[in-house]
Amino acid sequence: MKQVTFYLGERKRVKLIISSLDNLPFIISDAKYKLKYINEVLEEGTCEIDNEKREISKVLNPTQKAALTLEFEYTIMGETFVERIRLQVT
């Protein structure tokens, strides 16, 4: 799992760059996120999609020192994918 470090009070954009294994073009049709502490959902909503850069992103401002999980869920051609990123807030 990838990891991003935040200092308490920081507000940063977290990006997920998506690539195709066969280099074929694709469109990200939907993207959402959940920010979790253990199994508790602290925040959730939609992500920004940039199909030209093939990325999804969300600006976050964690409000507690903890190890959090950012879960991106996105859809490409009817298939749903999930990626998790660990956020270490110190």
Side-chain angles (χ1 to χ4, degrees):
M1 184 182 314
K2 298 173 188 170
Q3 180 171 312
V4 176
T5 301
F6 276 76
Y7 291 104
L8 192 62
E10 281 187 317
R11 184 173 191 264
K12 297 194 290 193
R13 180 176 302 277
V14 179
K15 296 180 184 181
L16 180 65
I17 298 170
I18 302 162
S19 60
S20 167
L21 295 175
D22 54 11
N23 290 322
L24 293 175
F26 61 87
I27 298 292
I28 305 163
S29 59
D30 184 46
K32 49 191 167 187
Y33 78 98
K34 290 181 184 175
L35 184 61
K36 298 180 177 181
Y37 174 67
I38 306 174
N39 290 323
E40 178 187 356
V41 176
L42 303 174
E43 185 180 320
E44 62 185 317
T46 58
C47 299
E48 293 181 36
I49 300 172
D50 186 332
N51 276 305
E52 188 175 309
K53 293 182 180 178
R54 295 183 172 182
E55 69 183 30
I56 59 177
S57 66
K58 182 63 187 170
V59 174
L60 297 172
N61 182 13
T63 58
Q64 65 187 53
K65 290 184 178 183
L68 307 175
T69 301
L70 173 60
E71 186 177 282
F72 283 119
E73 182 179 307
Y74 57 96
T75 305
I76 298 172
M77 295 177 59
E79 294 185 71
T80 301
F81 302 90
V82 177
E83 297 278 344
R84 291 180 181 92
I85 299 173
R86 179 187 168 111
L87 297 184
Q88 185 62 52
V89 184
T90 58

Coordinates of all heavy atoms in Angstrom, one line a residue:
M1 N 0.9 -1.2 0.0 CA 0.0 0.0 0.0 C 0.9 1.2 0.0 O 1.8 1.3 0.8 CB -0.9 0.0 1.2 CG -1.9 1.1 1.3 SD -3.0 1.2 2.8 CE -3.6 -0.5 2.9
K2 N 0.6 2.2 -0.9 CA 1.3 3.4 -0.9 C 1.0 4.3 0.4 O 0.0 4.1 1.0 CB 0.9 4.3 -2.1 CG 1.2 3.6 -3.4 CD 0.6 4.3 -4.6 CE 0.7 3.5 -5.8 NZ 0.0 4.1 -7.0
Q3 N 1.9 5.2 0.7 CA 1.8 6.0 1.9 C 2.0 7.4 1.6 O 3.0 7.8 0.9 CB 2.7 5.5 3.0 CG 2.5 6.3 4.3 CD 3.2 5.7 5.5 OE1 3.1 4.5 5.7 NE2 3.9 6.5 6.2
V4 N 1.2 8.3 2.2 CA 1.4 9.8 2.1 C 1.4 10.3 3.6 O 0.6 9.9 4.4 CB 0.3 10.4 1.4 CG1 0.4 11.9 1.4 CG2 0.2 9.9 -0.1
T5 N 2.4 11.2 3.9 CA 2.5 11.8 5.2 C 1.9 13.1 5.2 O 2.2 14.0 4.3 CB 4.0 11.8 5.7 OG1 4.5 10.5 5.6 CG2 4.1 12.4 7.0
F6 N 1.1 13.4 6.2 CA 0.5 14.7 6.5 C 1.0 15.2 7.9 O 1.1 14.4 8.8 CB -1.0 14.7 6.6 CG -1.7 14.7 5.2 CD1 -1.8 13.6 4.4 CD2 -2.4 15.9 4.9 CE1 -2.5 13.7 3.2 CE2 -3.1 15.9 3.7 CZ -3.1 14.8 2.8
Y7 N 1.2 16.5 8.0 CA 1.3 17.1 9.4 C 0.0 17.6 9.7 O -0.7 18.2 8.8 CB 2.4 18.1 9.4 CG 3.8 17.6 9.2 CD1 4.4 17.7 8.0 CD2 4.4 16.9 10.2 CE1 5.7 17.2 7.8 CE2 5.7 16.3 10.0 CZ 6.3 16.5 8.8 OH 7.5 15.9 8.6
L8 N -0.5 17.5 10.9 CA -1.8 17.9 11.4 C -1.9 19.4 11.0 O -1.0 20.2 11.3 CB -1.9 17.7 12.9 CG -3.3 17.9 13.4 CD1 -4.3 16.9 12.8 CD2 -3.3 17.8 14.9
G9 N -3.0 19.7 10.3 CA -3.3 21.1 9.9 C -3.0 21.3 8.4 O -3.4 22.3 7.8
E10 N -2.3 20.4 7.8 CA -2.0 20.5 6.3 C -3.2 20.2 5.5 O -4.1 19.4 5.9 CB -0.9 19.5 5.9 CG 0.5 20.0 6.2 CD 1.5 19.0 5.6 OE1 1.4 17.8 5.7 OE2 2.5 19.6 5.1
R11 N -3.3 20.9 4.4 CA -4.4 20.6 3.4 C -3.7 20.4 2.1 O -3.0 21.2 1.5 CB -5.3 21.9 3.3 CG -6.5 21.7 2.5 CD -7.4 23.0 2.6 NE -8.6 22.7 2.0 CZ -8.9 23.1 0.7 NH1 -8.0 23.8 0.0 NH2 -10.1 22.9 0.2
K12 N -3.8 19.1 1.6 CA -3.1 18.7 0.4 C -4.0 17.9 -0.5 O -4.9 17.2 -0.1 CB -1.9 17.8 0.8 CG -0.8 18.5 1.6 CD 0.5 17.7 1.6 CE 0.5 16.5 2.4 NZ 1.8 15.9 2.6
R13 N -3.6 17.9 -1.8 CA -4.3 17.1 -2.8 C -3.6 15.8 -2.9 O -2.3 15.7 -3.1 CB -4.3 17.8 -4.2 CG -5.0 17.0 -5.3 CD -5.0 17.8 -6.6 NE -5.7 19.1 -6.4 CZ -7.0 19.3 -6.4 NH1 -7.8 18.2 -6.6 NH2 -7.6 20.4 -6.2
V14 N -4.3 14.7 -2.9 CA -3.8 13.4 -3.0 C -4.3 12.9 -4.4 O -5.5 12.9 -4.7 CB -4.2 12.4 -1.9 CG1 -3.7 11.0 -2.2 CG2 -3.8 12.9 -0.6
K15 N -3.3 12.4 -5.3 CA -3.7 12.0 -6.6 C -3.4 10.5 -6.8 O -2.5 10.0 -6.2 CB -2.8 12.8 -7.6 CG -3.1 14.2 -7.7 CD -2.2 14.9 -8.7 CE -2.3 16.4 -8.7 NZ -1.5 17.0 -9.7
L16 N -4.2 9.9 -7.6 CA -4.0 8.6 -8.1 C -3.9 8.6 -9.6 O -4.9 9.0 -10.3 CB -5.2 7.7 -7.6 CG -5.1 6.2 -8.0 CD1 -3.9 5.5 -7.2 CD2 -6.3 5.5 -7.6
I17 N -2.8 8.2 -10.1 CA -2.5 8.2 -11.5 C -2.9 6.7 -12.0 O -2.3 5.8 -11.5 CB -1.1 8.6 -11.9 CG1 -0.9 10.0 -11.4 CG2 -0.9 8.4 -13.4 CD1 0.6 10.5 -11.5
I18 N -3.7 6.7 -13.0 CA -4.2 5.4 -13.5 C -3.6 5.1 -14.9 O -3.6 6.0 -15.7 CB -5.7 5.4 -13.5 CG1 -6.3 5.7 -12.1 CG2 -6.3 4.0 -14.0 CD1 -7.7 6.1 -12.1
S19 N -3.1 3.9 -15.1 CA -2.6 3.5 -16.4 C -3.2 2.2 -16.9 O -3.7 1.5 -16.1 CB -1.0 3.4 -16.3 OG -0.7 2.4 -15.3
S20 N -3.1 2.1 -18.2 CA -3.6 0.9 -18.8 C -2.4 -0.1 -19.1 O -1.4 0.4 -19.7 CB -4.3 1.3 -20.1 OG -4.5 0.1 -20.9
L21 N -2.5 -1.3 -18.8 CA -1.5 -2.3 -19.0 C -1.2 -2.5 -20.5 O -0.1 -2.8 -20.9 CB -1.8 -3.6 -18.3 CG -1.8 -3.6 -16.8 CD1 -2.2 -4.9 -16.3 CD2 -0.4 -3.2 -16.2
D22 N -2.3 -2.3 -21.3 CA -2.1 -2.5 -22.7 C -2.0 -1.2 -23.5 O -2.1 -1.2 -24.7 CB -3.2 -3.4 -23.3 CG -4.6 -2.9 -22.9 OD1 -4.7 -1.8 -22.4 OD2 -5.6 -3.7 -23.1
N23 N -1.9 -0.1 -22.8 CA -1.8 1.2 -23.4 C -3.0 1.7 -24.3 O -2.8 2.5 -25.1 CB -0.5 1.4 -24.2 CG 0.7 1.4 -23.2 OD1 0.6 2.0 -22.2 ND2 1.8 0.7 -23.6
L24 N -4.1 1.1 -24.1 CA -5.3 1.5 -24.8 C -6.0 2.7 -24.1 O -5.9 2.8 -22.9 CB -6.3 0.3 -24.9 CG -5.9 -0.9 -25.7 CD1 -6.9 -2.0 -25.6 CD2 -5.7 -0.5 -27.2
P25 N -6.6 3.5 -24.9 CA -7.3 4.7 -24.3 C -8.5 4.2 -23.4 O -9.1 3.2 -23.7 CB -7.8 5.5 -25.5 CG -7.8 4.6 -26.6 CD -6.8 3.5 -26.3
F26 N -8.8 5.0 -22.4 CA -9.9 4.7 -21.5 C -10.4 6.0 -20.9 O -9.8 7.0 -20.9 CB -9.5 3.7 -20.4 CG -8.4 4.3 -19.5 CD1 -8.7 5.0 -18.4 CD2 -7.1 3.9 -19.7 CE1 -7.8 5.5 -17.5 CE2 -6.1 4.4 -18.9 CZ -6.4 5.2 -17.8
I27 N -11.7 5.9 -20.4 CA -12.3 7.1 -19.8 C -12.7 6.6 -18.4 O -13.3 5.6 -18.2 CB -13.6 7.5 -20.5 CG1 -13.3 8.0 -22.0 CG2 -14.4 8.6 -19.8 CD1 -12.5 9.2 -22.0
I28 N -12.4 7.5 -17.4 CA -12.8 7.2 -16.0 C -14.2 7.9 -15.9 O -14.3 9.1 -16.0 CB -11.8 7.9 -15.0 CG1 -10.4 7.4 -15.2 CG2 -12.3 7.6 -13.6 CD1 -9.3 8.2 -14.6
S29 N -15.2 7.1 -15.7 CA -16.6 7.6 -15.7 C -17.1 8.0 -14.4 O -18.0 8.8 -14.3 CB -17.5 6.6 -16.4 OG -17.5 5.4 -15.6
D30 N -16.5 7.5 -13.3 CA -17.0 7.8 -11.9 C -15.8 7.6 -11.0 O -15.0 6.7 -11.2 CB -18.1 6.9 -11.6 CG -18.7 7.3 -10.2 OD1 -19.0 8.5 -10.0 OD2 -19.0 6.3 -9.4
A31 N -15.7 8.4 -10.0 CA -14.7 8.3 -8.9 C -15.2 8.8 -7.6 O -15.8 9.9 -7.6 CB -13.4 8.9 -9.3
K32 N -15.0 8.1 -6.6 CA -15.4 8.5 -5.2 C -14.3 8.1 -4.2 O -13.4 7.3 -4.6 CB -16.8 8.0 -4.8 CG -17.0 6.6 -5.0 CD -18.5 6.3 -4.9 CE -18.8 4.9 -5.4 NZ -20.2 4.6 -5.4
Y33 N -14.4 8.6 -3.0 CA -13.4 8.3 -2.0 C -14.1 8.1 -0.6 O -15.2 8.5 -0.4 CB -12.4 9.4 -1.9 CG -12.9 10.6 -1.1 CD1 -12.5 10.7 0.2 CD2 -13.7 11.5 -1.7 CE1 -13.0 11.8 1.0 CE2 -14.2 12.6 -1.0 CZ -13.9 12.7 0.3 OH -14.3 13.8 1.1
K34 N -13.3 7.4 0.2 CA -13.7 7.3 1.6 C -12.4 7.4 2.4 O -11.4 6.8 2.1 CB -14.3 5.9 2.0 CG -15.7 5.7 1.4 CD -16.2 4.3 1.8 CE -17.5 4.0 1.2 NZ -18.0 2.7 1.5
L35 N -12.4 8.2 3.5 CA -11.3 8.4 4.4 C -11.7 7.7 5.6 O -12.8 8.0 6.2 CB -11.1 9.9 4.6 CG -9.8 10.2 5.5 CD1 -8.6 9.7 4.9 CD2 -9.7 11.7 5.8
K36 N -10.9 6.7 6.0 CA -11.3 5.8 7.1 C -10.3 5.8 8.2 O -9.1 5.9 8.0 CB -11.5 4.4 6.7 CG -12.5 4.1 5.6 CD -12.5 2.7 5.3 CE -13.6 2.3 4.3 NZ -13.6 0.9 4.0
Y37 N -10.7 5.6 9.5 CA -9.9 5.3 10.6 C -10.4 4.0 11.1 O -11.5 3.8 11.5 CB -10.1 6.4 11.7 CG -9.3 6.0 13.0 CD1 -7.9 6.0 13.0 CD2 -10.0 5.7 14.1 CE1 -7.2 5.6 14.1 CE2 -9.3 5.3 15.3 CZ -7.9 5.3 15.3 OH -7.2 5.0 16.4
I38 N -9.5 3.0 11.0 CA -9.8 1.6 11.2 C -11.0 1.3 10.3 O -10.9 1.3 9.0 CB -10.0 1.3 12.7 CG1 -8.8 1.7 13.5 CG2 -10.3 -0.2 12.8 CD1 -8.9 1.6 15.0
N39 N -12.2 1.0 10.8 CA -13.4 0.7 10.0 C -14.4 1.9 10.0 O -15.5 1.7 9.4 CB -14.1 -0.6 10.4 CG -13.2 -1.8 10.1 OD1 -12.6 -1.8 9.1 ND2 -13.2 -2.8 11.0
E40 N -14.1 2.9 10.7 CA -15.0 4.1 10.7 C -14.8 5.0 9.6 O -13.6 5.5 9.4 CB -14.8 4.8 12.1 CG -15.7 6.1 12.2 CD -15.3 6.9 13.5 OE1 -14.4 6.5 14.2 OE2 -15.9 7.9 13.6
V41 N -15.8 5.4 8.8 CA -15.7 6.3 7.7 C -15.8 7.7 8.3 O -16.8 8.1 8.9 CB -16.8 6.1 6.7 CG1 -16.7 7.1 5.6 CG2 -16.7 4.7 6.1
L42 N -14.7 8.5 8.1 CA -14.6 9.8 8.6 C -15.2 10.9 7.6 O -15.7 11.9 8.0 CB -13.2 10.2 9.0 CG -12.4 9.3 10.0 CD1 -11.0 9.7 10.1 CD2 -13.1 9.3 11.3
E43 N -15.0 10.5 6.4 CA -15.4 11.5 5.3 C -15.5 10.7 4.0 O -14.8 9.7 3.8 CB -14.2 12.5 5.1 CG -14.4 13.6 4.2 CD -13.2 14.5 4.1 OE1 -12.6 14.8 5.2 OE2 -12.8 14.9 3.0
E44 N -16.5 11.1 3.2 CA -16.6 10.4 1.9 C -17.3 11.4 0.9 O -17.9 12.4 1.3 CB -17.5 9.1 2.0 CG -18.9 9.3 2.5 CD -19.6 8.0 2.7 OE1 -19.4 7.1 1.9 OE2 -20.3 7.8 3.7
G45 N -17.1 11.1 -0.4 CA -17.7 12.0 -1.4 C -17.1 11.6 -2.8 O -16.6 10.5 -3.0
T46 N -17.2 12.6 -3.7 CA -16.8 12.4 -5.1 C -15.3 12.9 -5.2 O -14.9 13.8 -4.5 CB -17.7 13.0 -6.1 OG1 -17.8 14.4 -5.8 CG2 -19.1 12.4 -6.0
C47 N -14.7 12.4 -6.2 CA -13.3 12.9 -6.5 C -13.3 13.7 -7.8 O -14.3 13.6 -8.6 CB -12.4 11.7 -6.8 SG -12.2 10.6 -5.4
E48 N -12.3 14.5 -8.0 CA -12.1 15.2 -9.3 C -11.5 14.2 -10.3 O -10.6 13.4 -9.9 CB -11.1 16.4 -9.1 CG -11.7 17.5 -8.3 CD -10.8 18.6 -8.1 OE1 -10.1 19.0 -9.1 OE2 -10.8 19.2 -7.1
I49 N -12.0 14.2 -11.5 CA -11.5 13.3 -12.5 C -10.8 14.1 -13.6 O -11.4 15.1 -14.1 CB -12.6 12.5 -13.2 CG1 -13.3 11.6 -12.1 CG2 -12.1 11.6 -14.3 CD1 -14.6 10.9 -12.6
D50 N -9.6 13.8 -14.0 CA -8.9 14.4 -15.1 C -8.6 13.3 -16.1 O -7.5 12.6 -16.0 CB -7.7 15.2 -14.7 CG -7.0 16.0 -15.8 OD1 -7.2 15.6 -16.9 OD2 -6.4 17.0 -15.5
N51 N -9.4 13.1 -17.1 CA -9.2 12.0 -18.1 C -8.0 12.3 -19.0 O -7.4 11.4 -19.5 CB -10.5 11.8 -18.9 CG -11.4 10.8 -18.2 OD1 -11.0 9.7 -17.8 ND2 -12.6 11.3 -17.9
E52 N -7.7 13.6 -19.2 CA -6.5 13.9 -20.0 C -5.2 13.4 -19.4 O -4.4 12.8 -20.0 CB -6.5 15.4 -20.3 CG -5.4 15.8 -21.3 CD -5.5 17.3 -21.6 OE1 -6.6 17.7 -22.0 OE2 -4.4 17.9 -21.5
K53 N -5.1 13.6 -18.1 CA -3.9 13.2 -17.3 C -4.1 11.8 -16.7 O -3.2 11.3 -16.1 CB -3.7 14.2 -16.2 CG -3.3 15.5 -16.6 CD -3.0 16.4 -15.4 CE -2.6 17.8 -15.9 NZ -2.3 18.7 -14.7
R54 N -5.3 11.2 -16.9 CA -5.6 9.9 -16.4 C -5.4 9.8 -14.9 O -4.7 8.9 -14.4 CB -4.7 8.8 -17.1 CG -5.0 8.6 -18.5 CD -4.3 7.5 -19.1 NE -4.7 7.3 -20.5 CZ -4.2 6.4 -21.3 NH1 -3.3 5.6 -20.8 NH2 -4.7 6.2 -22.5
E55 N -6.0 10.7 -14.2 CA -5.8 10.7 -12.7 C -7.1 11.1 -12.0 O -8.0 11.8 -12.6 CB -4.7 11.7 -12.3 CG -5.0 13.1 -12.5 CD -3.8 14.0 -12.1 OE1 -2.6 13.5 -12.2 OE2 -4.0 15.1 -11.7
I56 N -7.2 10.7 -10.8 CA -8.3 11.2 -9.9 C -7.7 11.7 -8.7 O -6.5 11.4 -8.3 CB -9.3 10.0 -9.5 CG1 -8.6 8.9 -8.9 CG2 -10.0 9.5 -10.8 CD1 -9.5 7.8 -8.4
S57 N -8.3 12.7 -8.1 CA -7.7 13.4 -6.9 C -8.7 13.9 -6.0 O -9.9 14.1 -6.3 CB -6.8 14.5 -7.4 OG -7.6 15.5 -8.0
K58 N -8.3 14.2 -4.7 CA -9.1 14.8 -3.7 C -8.2 15.6 -2.8 O -7.1 15.2 -2.4 CB -9.8 13.6 -2.9 CG -10.7 14.2 -1.8 CD -11.9 14.9 -2.4 CE -12.7 15.6 -1.4 NZ -13.7 16.5 -1.9
V59 N -8.7 16.8 -2.4 CA -8.0 17.6 -1.4 C -8.5 17.2 -0.1 O -9.7 17.1 0.2 CB -8.3 19.1 -1.7 CG1 -7.7 19.9 -0.6 CG2 -7.8 19.6 -3.0
L60 N -7.5 16.9 0.8 CA -7.8 16.4 2.2 C -7.2 17.3 3.2 O -6.2 17.9 3.0 CB -7.3 15.0 2.4 CG -8.0 13.9 1.5 CD1 -7.2 12.6 1.6 CD2 -9.4 13.8 1.8
N61 N -7.9 17.4 4.4 CA -7.4 18.1 5.5 C -7.7 17.3 6.8 O -8.7 17.6 7.5 CB -8.0 19.5 5.6 CG -7.5 20.3 6.7 OD1 -6.5 20.0 7.3 ND2 -8.2 21.4 7.0
P62 N -6.9 16.2 7.0 CA -7.2 15.4 8.2 C -7.2 16.2 9.5 O -6.4 17.1 9.7 CB -6.1 14.4 8.2 CG -5.5 14.4 6.8 CD -5.7 15.8 6.3
T63 N -8.1 15.8 10.4 CA -8.3 16.6 11.6 C -7.8 15.9 12.9 O -8.1 16.3 14.0 CB -9.7 17.0 11.8 OG1 -10.5 15.8 11.8 CG2 -10.2 17.9 10.7
Q64 N -7.2 14.7 12.7 CA -6.7 14.0 13.9 C -5.4 13.3 13.5 O -5.1 12.9 12.4 CB -7.7 12.9 14.3 CG -8.0 11.8 13.3 CD -9.1 10.9 13.8 OE1 -10.2 11.4 14.1 NE2 -8.8 9.6 13.8
K65 N -4.5 13.2 14.5 CA -3.2 12.4 14.3 C -3.6 10.9 14.4 O -4.1 10.4 15.4 CB -2.2 12.8 15.4 CG -1.7 14.1 15.3 CD -0.6 14.4 16.4 CE 0.0 15.8 16.3 NZ 1.1 16.0 17.3
A66 N -3.3 10.2 13.3 CA -3.6 8.8 13.2 C -3.1 8.2 11.9 O -2.7 9.0 11.0 CB -5.1 8.6 13.3
A67 N -3.1 6.9 11.8 CA -2.9 6.2 10.6 C -4.3 6.0 10.0 O -5.1 5.3 10.5 CB -2.2 4.9 10.8
L68 N -4.5 6.7 8.8 CA -5.8 6.6 8.2 C -5.7 5.9 6.8 O -4.6 5.7 6.3 CB -6.3 8.0 7.9 CG -6.4 9.0 9.1 CD1 -6.8 10.4 8.6 CD2 -7.4 8.5 10.1
T69 N -6.8 5.5 6.3 CA -6.8 4.8 5.0 C -7.7 5.6 4.0 O -8.8 5.9 4.4 CB -7.4 3.4 5.0 OG1 -6.5 2.6 5.9 CG2 -7.3 2.7 3.7
L70 N -7.1 6.0 2.9 CA -7.9 6.7 1.9 C -8.2 5.7 0.8 O -7.3 5.0 0.3 CB -7.0 7.8 1.2 CG -7.6 8.5 0.0 CD1 -9.0 9.2 0.4 CD2 -6.7 9.6 -0.5
E71 N -9.5 5.5 0.6 CA -9.9 4.5 -0.4 C -10.5 5.2 -1.6 O -11.5 5.9 -1.5 CB -10.9 3.6 0.3 CG -11.4 2.4 -0.6 CD -12.3 1.5 0.2 OE1 -11.9 0.7 1.0 OE2 -13.6 1.6 0.0
F72 N -9.9 5.0 -2.8 CA -10.4 5.5 -4.0 C -11.2 4.4 -4.7 O -10.7 3.3 -4.8 CB -9.3 6.0 -5.0 CG -8.7 7.3 -4.6 CD1 -7.3 7.4 -4.3 CD2 -9.4 8.5 -4.7 CE1 -6.7 8.6 -4.1 CE2 -8.8 9.7 -4.4 CZ -7.5 9.8 -4.1
E73 N -12.4 4.7 -5.2 CA -13.1 3.7 -6.0 C -13.5 4.4 -7.3 O -14.1 5.5 -7.3 CB -14.4 3.3 -5.2 CG -15.2 2.3 -6.0 CD -16.5 1.9 -5.2 OE1 -16.4 1.5 -4.0 OE2 -17.6 1.9 -5.8
Y74 N -13.1 3.8 -8.4 CA -13.4 4.4 -9.7 C -13.8 3.4 -10.7 O -13.6 2.2 -10.6 CB -12.1 5.1 -10.2 CG -10.9 4.3 -10.3 CD1 -10.5 3.7 -11.5 CD2 -10.1 4.0 -9.2 CE1 -9.4 2.9 -11.7 CE2 -8.9 3.2 -9.3 CZ -8.6 2.7 -10.6 OH -7.5 1.9 -10.7
T75 N -14.5 3.9 -11.8 CA -15.1 3.0 -12.8 C -14.6 3.4 -14.1 O -14.5 4.5 -14.5 CB -16.7 3.2 -12.8 OG1 -17.2 2.9 -11.5 CG2 -17.3 2.3 -13.8
I76 N -14.2 2.3 -14.9 CA -13.7 2.4 -16.2 C -14.4 1.3 -17.1 O -14.3 0.1 -16.7 CB -12.1 2.2 -16.3 CG1 -11.4 3.3 -15.5 CG2 -11.7 2.2 -17.8 CD1 -9.9 3.1 -15.4
M77 N -15.1 1.7 -18.1 CA -15.8 0.8 -19.0 C -16.6 -0.2 -18.2 O -16.5 -1.4 -18.5 CB -14.8 0.1 -19.9 CG -14.1 1.1 -20.9 SD -12.8 0.4 -21.9 CE -13.7 -0.8 -22.8
G78 N -17.4 0.2 -17.2 CA -18.2 -0.7 -16.5 C -17.6 -1.5 -15.4 O -18.3 -2.2 -14.7
E79 N -16.3 -1.4 -15.3 CA -15.6 -2.2 -14.3 C -15.2 -1.2 -13.1 O -14.8 -0.1 -13.4 CB -14.3 -2.8 -14.8 CG -14.5 -3.9 -15.8 CD -13.2 -4.5 -16.2 OE1 -12.6 -5.3 -15.4 OE2 -12.7 -4.2 -17.4
T80 N -15.3 -1.7 -11.9 CA -15.0 -0.9 -10.7 C -13.7 -1.4 -10.1 O -13.5 -2.6 -9.9 CB -16.2 -1.0 -9.7 OG1 -17.4 -0.6 -10.3 CG2 -15.9 -0.2 -8.5
F81 N -12.9 -0.4 -9.8 CA -11.6 -0.7 -9.2 C -11.5 0.0 -7.9 O -12.0 1.1 -7.7 CB -10.4 -0.2 -10.1 CG -10.5 -0.9 -11.5 CD1 -11.2 -0.3 -12.5 CD2 -9.9 -2.1 -11.7 CE1 -11.3 -0.9 -13.8 CE2 -9.9 -2.7 -13.0 CZ -10.6 -2.1 -14.0
V82 N -10.7 -0.5 -6.9 CA -10.5 0.1 -5.6 C -9.0 0.2 -5.3 O -8.3 -0.8 -5.5 CB -11.2 -0.7 -4.5 CG1 -10.9 -0.1 -3.1 CG2 -12.7 -0.7 -4.7
E83 N -8.5 1.3 -4.9 CA -7.1 1.5 -4.5 C -7.1 2.1 -3.2 O -7.9 3.0 -2.9 CB -6.4 2.4 -5.5 CG -6.3 1.9 -6.9 CD -5.1 1.0 -7.1 OE1 -4.2 0.9 -6.3 OE2 -5.2 0.3 -8.1
R84 N -6.2 1.7 -2.3 CA -6.1 2.2 -1.0 C -4.7 2.8 -0.8 O -3.7 2.3 -1.2 CB -6.3 1.1 0.1 CG -7.7 0.6 0.1 CD -7.9 -0.5 1.1 NE -9.3 -0.9 1.1 CZ -9.8 -1.9 0.3 NH1 -8.9 -2.6 -0.5 NH2 -11.0 -2.3 0.3
I85 N -4.7 4.0 -0.1 CA -3.5 4.7 0.2 C -3.5 4.9 1.7 O -4.5 5.4 2.3 CB -3.4 6.0 -0.5 CG1 -3.4 5.8 -2.0 CG2 -2.2 6.8 -0.1 CD1 -3.5 7.0 -2.9
R86 N -2.4 4.7 2.4 CA -2.3 4.9 3.8 C -1.9 6.4 4.0 O -1.0 6.9 3.4 CB -1.2 4.0 4.4 CG -1.0 4.3 5.9 CD 0.2 3.4 6.4 NE 0.6 3.8 7.7 CZ 0.4 3.1 8.8 NH1 -0.1 1.9 8.7 NH2 0.8 3.5 10.0
L87 N -2.6 7.1 4.9 CA -2.3 8.5 5.3 C -1.7 8.5 6.7 O -2.5 8.0 7.6 CB -3.5 9.4 5.2 CG -4.2 9.6 3.9 CD1 -5.3 10.6 4.0 CD2 -3.2 10.0 2.8
Q88 N -0.5 8.9 6.9 CA 0.1 8.9 8.2 C 0.0 10.4 8.6 O 0.7 11.2 8.1 CB 1.5 8.4 8.2 CG 2.1 8.4 9.6 CD 1.3 7.4 10.5 OE1 1.1 6.3 10.2 NE2 1.0 7.9 11.7
V89 N -0.8 10.7 9.6 CA -1.0 12.1 10.1 C -0.2 12.2 11.4 O -0.5 11.5 12.4 CB -2.5 12.5 10.2 CG1 -2.6 13.9 10.6 CG2 -3.3 12.2 9.0
T90 N 0.8 13.1 11.4 CA 1.6 13.3 12.6 C 1.4 14.7 13.2 O 1.0 15.6 12.5 CB 3.1 13.0 12.3 OG1 3.5 13.9 11.3 CG2 3.3 11.6 11.9

